[in-house]
């Protein structure tokens, strides 16, 4: 389990009060300062209720406050959310793991009703499995040639790029991935010819596979996150910087760099300040 941080303090959140319009669709329409704001349900992480007052937490740390009964919210959100304790609904897509607390992909940790742990985990697994089963194959390349045509622009790039398809076990946990596309730079980085890489699973090619990569790729493929990973790869004995992001349903794209080949250049007087802000943000999220 990755070293996620505790729930950010309320003081760092951005609260706005508004009315809410619930409809059987993929969005919730909010009235913010007399203007309509349409919020995609897929961006909602969780909802906390106090009486008929809802605090709707969305990606990016923003929180919307609305006056609405929980039963009304559940009519709209129930299909893809689970109730983990009284007055707390969490998006299935936002859940990374359920342990002592419910750990979200954002790094936040929520308390839940422990005596209902088995029931909550069962509901989570059932809804996550349904989500995976419903991945649309429409528009998905059918052959290596179609993948190559789709990603033709990456063929001559000087950095490694791959599109990988996640492999899930019976509990809907990511256990491996299959290379569906890779450019020549990927073959060079992985030290394996492309004809062996494409169509093969990572675990098959590298029996010493480190599962730490799985958690981030799973978050990108299932939850639509764009993540940066900087870590040592024992599989290829290289320190890597990896940027992963969602591509097709159940897939993620990865841009990989050998850190020893990257040089930081101070292009202006603001460059070092920007770097320090960046590093401070990354370190702060791990505290």
């Amino acid at each position: 389990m990755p070293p996620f941080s505790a729930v950010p303090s309320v003081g760092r959140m951005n609260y706005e009060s508004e009315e809410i319009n619930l409809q059987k669709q993929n969005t919730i329409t909010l009235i913010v300062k007399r203007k309509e704001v349409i919020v995609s349900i897929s961006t909602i992480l969780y909802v906390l209720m106090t009486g008929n007052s809802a605090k709707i937490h969305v990606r990016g740390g923003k929180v919307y406050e609305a006056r609405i009964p929980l039963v009304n919210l559940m009519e709209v959100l129930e299909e893809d959310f689970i109730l983990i304790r009284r007055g707390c609904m969490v998006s299935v897509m936002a859940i990374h793991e359920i342990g002592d607390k419910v750990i979200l992909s954002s790094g936040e940790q929520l308390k839940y009703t422990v005596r209902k742990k088995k029931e909550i985990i069962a509901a989570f697994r059932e809804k996550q499995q349904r989500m995976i089963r419903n991945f649309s194959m429409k528009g998905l390349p059918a052959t290596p040639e179609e993948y190559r045509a789709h990603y033709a622009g990456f063929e001559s790039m000087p950095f490694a790029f791959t599109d990988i398809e996640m492999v899930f076990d019976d509990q809907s946990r990511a256990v491996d991935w299959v290379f569906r596309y890779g450019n020549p730079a990927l073959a060079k980085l992985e030290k394996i010819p492309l004809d062996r890489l494409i169509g093969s699973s990572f675990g098959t090619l590298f029996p010493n596979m480190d599962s730490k990569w799985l958690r981030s790729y799973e978050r990108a493929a299932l939850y639509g996150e764009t993540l940066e990973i900087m870590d040592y790869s024992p599989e290829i004995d290289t320190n890597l910087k990896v940027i992963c992001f969602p591509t097709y349903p159940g897939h993620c794209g990865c841009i990989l760099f050998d850190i020893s080949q990257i040089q930081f250049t101070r292009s202006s007087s603001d460059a070092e300040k920007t770097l320090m802000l960046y590093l401070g943000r990354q370190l702060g999220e791990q505290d």
Side-chain angles (χ1 to χ4, degrees):
M1 183 175 71
F4 286 120
S5 62
V7 181
S9 64
V10 171
R12 293 168 58 187
M13 297 292 191
N14 182 10
Y15 286 84
E16 296 184 17
S17 297
E18 58 271 304
E19 298 173 0
I20 187 169
N21 176 26
L22 299 174
Q23 302 178 34
K24 290 288 186 179
Q25 52 187 22
N26 296 323
T27 61
I28 292 178
T29 301
L30 305 173
I31 306 301
V32 181
K33 297 178 181 178
R34 299 183 180 181
K35 293 183 180 180
E36 284 192 354
V37 175
I38 299 176
V39 178
S40 172
I41 290 177
S42 65
T43 66
I44 299 175
L45 299 175
Y46 59 99
V47 179
L48 296 178
M49 300 293 304
T50 303
N52 286 337
S53 177
K55 291 181 179 178
I56 303 169
H57 295 243
V58 301
R59 297 188 188 280
K62 200 166 191 177
V63 179
Y64 294 100
E65 292 188 34
R67 295 282 299 174
I68 188 72
L70 176 62
V71 64
N72 291 31
L73 271 175
M74 289 183 66
E75 288 178 3
V76 176
L77 305 180
E78 186 175 21
E79 184 176 352
D80 298 312
F81 284 67
I82 58 174
L83 193 66
I84 64 169
R85 69 173 190 267
R86 185 176 181 181
C88 183
M89 293 180 67
V90 183
S91 168
V92 171
M93 290 185 65
I95 296 176
H96 175 71
E97 191 168 336
I98 300 177
D100 294 336
K101 294 182 179 180
V102 173
I103 302 174
L104 306 186
S105 58
S106 63
E108 297 179 67
Q109 300 182 15
L110 302 175
K111 294 180 180 179
Y112 66 94
T113 304
V114 178
R115 61 184 174 82
K116 292 186 177 181
K117 182 175 182 177
K118 289 184 178 180
E119 179 182 336
I120 291 170
I121 291 177
F124 167 60
R125 293 301 181 196
E126 188 278 327
K127 292 190 177 188
Q128 188 183 54
Q129 287 172 359
R130 175 178 51 76
M131 180 177 65
I132 294 172
R133 287 195 302 268
N134 289 341
F135 280 159
S136 174
M137 300 297 288
K138 185 177 180 181
L140 192 68
T143 65
E145 291 72 26
E146 289 185 11
Y147 275 102
R148 195 176 307 117
H150 179 75
Y151 290 117
F154 288 94
E155 284 291 297
S156 60
M157 290 295 167
F159 53 80
F161 173 76
T162 182
D163 183 300
I164 60 176
E165 179 181 0
M166 303 307 298
V167 177
F168 300 92
D169 64 12
D170 293 338
Q171 299 299 313
S172 301
R173 292 172 297 202
V175 293
D176 206 342
W177 68 83
V178 175
F179 292 97
R180 293 305 182 193
Y181 168 81
N183 65 358
L186 177 74
K188 182 179 180 180
L189 181 67
E190 301 285 3
K191 304 178 180 67
I192 295 178
L194 276 179
D195 59 358
R196 282 189 59 204
L197 275 172
I198 305 306
S200 298
S201 72
F202 189 82
T204 299
L205 296 170
F206 299 98
N208 62 330
M209 174 183 181
D210 193 327
S211 63
K212 65 189 175 188
W213 307 104
L214 278 169
R215 303 287 75 83
S216 295
Y217 297 162
E218 178 185 35
R219 287 172 59 182
L222 288 185
Y223 312 132
E225 295 184 88
T226 296
L227 303 168
E228 180 184 60
I229 314 157
M230 299 183 75
D231 213 326
Y232 172 70
S233 171
E235 298 90 350
I236 57 175
D237 188 27
T238 304
N239 289 297
L240 294 175
K241 171 180 176 177
V242 182
I243 299 173
C244 59
F245 49 90
T247 53
Y248 296 102
H251 289 231
C252 79
C254 300
I255 299 173
L256 304 92
F257 301 91
D258 179 343
I259 290 179
S260 68
Q261 302 300 313
I262 300 176
Q263 297 185 32
F264 174 70
T265 176
R266 291 165 176 79
S267 55
S268 74
S269 58
D270 292 325
E272 193 149 341
K273 178 182 177 181
T274 301
L275 178 62
M276 292 300 102
L277 287 172
Y278 169 78
L279 293 175
R281 177 173 174 266
Q282 304 309 311
L283 294 173
E285 290 180 354
Q286 301 302 316
D287 291 339

